[in-house]
DNA sequence: CATGAATGAGCATTCATTCAT
DNA sequence: TATGAATGAATGCTCATTCAT
């Protein structure tokens, strides 16, 4: 899926094509892109950060756009790999509380916030990149949570007409006073206790609305 | 070196400094910055859009950063001027529904979304700008809604330990499936009916959680 | 005709728009292009030769191609302005001899030869430029000589079915052993005496073929 | 550093050094150089066209210049091998007409024109290459034609003081309206009928001037 | 104050060349 | 010998900024 025209290593047994240079570039470039934004990042800076020459960048990526796309793709993969515990057998309150805290912690990690910020910033000029990130990261999480909620609804704990809407509502409610001050640099990343407090409040409101009577 | 306060206009009677050139520049520049982002906007383009020469830009603003800051400042002022009907006498459900719809419509207007996107994008490099926007636009709205909610709590309609948290929760819950797909360009701006549906659901959840029993 | 989007001088009385910078750039660039060829000439070198900054080049010309086109256009104008004495009243032999010598001298001047070489070299990638040069320089001279020949034919001195073909034949015959060794750098520019000898021989052959009997 | 003479092939019986890789490179590179010019041709493109790696290019040729020189050398050899029928026993008019047509056809073939163009273009920067091409292709043809003309002069058909000058005059006169429009891309390659017409006219003029009386 | 011509540092990108394998 | 990954200098071009008028 993410295969590119990069030179294939000759003597590796397993198919990890992303080893060595290509991966090294992506790893180095991610930080630069995320810290400075697409326009703010220069290929020279990226080359330095990745520990390769500028020319090598172009051996593995056709141009700056493609390199950026690969970074976002990688970010999608990694953020998509984050697994929350949606075991349908677990009780709703604990599950939501744990998920909420983990989700906010992810969003408010320097990496998480930067990815959201950087991709959102470029979305107008590179809609495909924006859509891809939304689909593979945000919508994916929403779907997974939605599936869990539906399972609990079938189980009789919850009652809701639209599980995915409910999922997104919960994800949003958890952000409440946490994410926006952080992403706008109005406040530093929230402390775990603060997160717990806000998520707790969110869980209470969510359950008040959707608990089966 | 060049002054930041606008030159005193010679022929105006009242001291409205923003009347003439300075204002004209801000008005022209806003669109360019919001559509193309800070880095994407060039001073030449801005000069053209504002109908002045590039040199004149530097008569009123020390550099590109300062001009951008002024734009955001102006944006704050204007978005802060948006008044929602928080008449403490109005009933909660209607007030929330109306506010929610208006708020989402504002966020999902090309201008509204662009401002959020543009400021968020630059927040890492220009934290002051980000903080200022957050404080004057988002937090301000939160405070106003919070004040209203508190009034209704005092009135006995609602019961809540933290009115501002509740306010932000409501603002977030209204965004649910609407704002993020829009800002990431995964979907076009939501239709009014869709907004109404999501806001409705948000109001229901909010009241389930905070209605006084 | 050759008007471009260059800034117009404000206080000149006559309409010489090409004064100052634009002209200065063209003059400086010509040498660089002609000596090094289109690809060999760098915009940096051109800027240095013209005594302006690299940025200024782009104020007057959209890109390297356009600058080159302007050079060729200028060259066409100037080479087109070269006037040979085609007074229809003059006798054929003298006229041809004088024209032939002047023409070869033009072709074998460093400037003349370089223009031919440089434009010919780029003709495959920029056919318009090649065609323009051919039309405005070579074909124009052919037409003027053709017109003269026709006049002399009408006068009864010459007899020829196709005056323009005859004109080109004469132009080619004059080059004989002179132009190609020069343009291929196999020999330095021919001395006037050598030119006279070859042109003389060409005139004799031409008149043998086309003198009216 | 790297040798210029080709590596001694290990498995060929006869000493034909140009058989294998070196020849393969030259064959592949010729088209690229001729189509794109010296500067326009990249070593990467050449490697691809020749079906070898970029590194291999440098095994056989010290650098791009040396490779180009070898191409021209090869071109000289091949164009020098083109044999026109200069049988001294053949009658002058037929011989000239046939040679003229063949010569123009050669010049106006894509390959022929491109070689002339490409070498002429580089002659200022690589005078040796230009001279070599002139000597081995153009002058050689001139000498052969000159030798034939002299033979016919000795035979009594023609009378001329300088056979090589006469040869070049004929070669030039044949080009008349054909070669320059073609090489400047002002017109497509001339049709055979058109060539015949112009060459015919050239033959007539030539014989009028040099036929023994 | 207003202009816009001029600047030069900076950018993304290309490409001849090298070298370890 | 043959490879192709890696290099880094050089290129065309942009743009924030300055300054004489």
């Amino acid at each position: 899926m993410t295969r590119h025209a990069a030179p294939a290593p000759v003597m590796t047994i397993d198919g990890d094509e992303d080893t060595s240079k290509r991966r090294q570039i992506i790893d180095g470039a991610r930080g630069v892109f995320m810290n400075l934004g697409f326009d703010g990042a220069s290929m020279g800076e990226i080359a330095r950060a990745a520990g390769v020459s500028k020319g090598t960048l172009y051996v593995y990526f056709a141009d700056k756009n493609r390199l950026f796309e690969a970074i976002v793709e990688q970010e999608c993969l990694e953020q998509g790999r984050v697994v929350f515990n949606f075991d349908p057998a677990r009780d709703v309150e604990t599950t939501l509380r744990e998920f909420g805290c983990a989700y906010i912690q992810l969003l408010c990690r320097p990496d998480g916030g930067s990815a959201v910020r950087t991709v959102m910033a470029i979305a107008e000029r590179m809609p495909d990149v924006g859509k891809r990130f939304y689909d593979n990261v945000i919508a994916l999480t929403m779907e997974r949570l939605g599936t869990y909620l539906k399972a609990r609804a079938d189980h009789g704990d919850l009652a809701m007409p639209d599980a995915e809407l409910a999922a997104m509502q919960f994800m949003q409610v958890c952000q409440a006073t946490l994410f926006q001050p952080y992403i706008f640099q109005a406040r530093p990343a929230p402390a775990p206790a603060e997160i717990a407090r806000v998520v707790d409040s969110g869980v209470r409101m969510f359950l008040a609305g959707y608990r089966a009577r």
Side-chain angles (χ1 to χ4, degrees), chain A:
Chain A
M1 164 198 317
T2 43
R3 200 146 310 189
H4 291 242
V10 182
M11 297 191 236
T12 25
I13 291 168
D14 57 0
D16 58 347
E17 48 169 9
D18 266 4
T19 330
S20 72
K21 276 286 140 66
R22 189 172 195 275
R23 184 54 193 249
Q24 177 184 340
I25 292 172
I26 286 187
D27 287 347
R30 174 158 42 208
V32 181
F33 272 127
M34 296 309 171
N35 286 334
L36 305 177
F38 181 80
D39 293 301
S42 83
M43 293 299 268
E45 187 83 7
I46 288 169
R48 205 170 314 120
V52 301
S53 76
K54 248 192 303 182
T56 303
L57 258 29
Y58 288 88
V59 172
Y60 291 88
F61 302 93
D63 54 26
K64 195 185 179 183
N65 280 25
R66 295 281 246 264
L67 172 54
F68 181 71
E69 284 166 25
I71 304 288
V72 176
E73 202 65 31
Q74 181 63 27
E75 200 64 25
C76 288
L77 242 62
E78 286 182 18
Q79 297 219 14
R81 258 203 282 278
V82 172
V83 189
F84 303 104
N85 189 341
F86 287 140
D87 179 350
R90 292 177 84 211
D91 88 283
V92 174
E93 194 169 336
T94 310
T95 302
L96 288 180
R97 203 179 344 257
E98 277 186 16
F99 163 76
C101 288
Y103 176 62
I104 296 303
Q105 231 131 20
L106 185 71
L107 274 183
C108 295
R109 259 185 13 208
D111 275 11
S114 291
V116 169
R117 183 174 13 229
T118 307
V119 175
M120 191 181 287
I122 211 67
E124 196 141 35
R125 271 187 293 163
M126 301 173 58
D128 288 354
V129 172
K131 178 169 172 31
R132 210 162 183 74
F133 186 82
Y134 176 79
D135 287 346
N136 289 330
V137 176
I138 299 172
L140 181 66
T141 302
M142 174 185 75
E143 282 159 22
R144 288 173 176 168
L145 176 54
T147 302
Y148 169 80
L149 294 178
K150 205 164 196 180
R152 295 312 297 184
D154 294 345
H155 190 266
D157 288 356
L158 302 175
M160 55 189 44
D162 183 339
E164 292 208 338
L165 173 58
M168 204 64 160
Q169 284 172 326
F170 181 69
M171 287 162 70
Q172 291 286 128
V173 124
C174 285
Q175 293 174 33
T177 52
L178 302 173
F179 181 62
Q180 298 220 56
Y182 167 72
I183 201 90
F184 278 106
Q185 301 270 50
R187 274 195 257 144
E194 173 69 359
I195 295 179
R197 188 181 76 89
V198 173
V199 168
D200 244 45
S201 173
V203 171
R204 209 170 306 124
M205 193 208 275
F206 183 84
L207 290 180
Y210 288 125
R211 176 113 62 189
R213 272 145 296 164

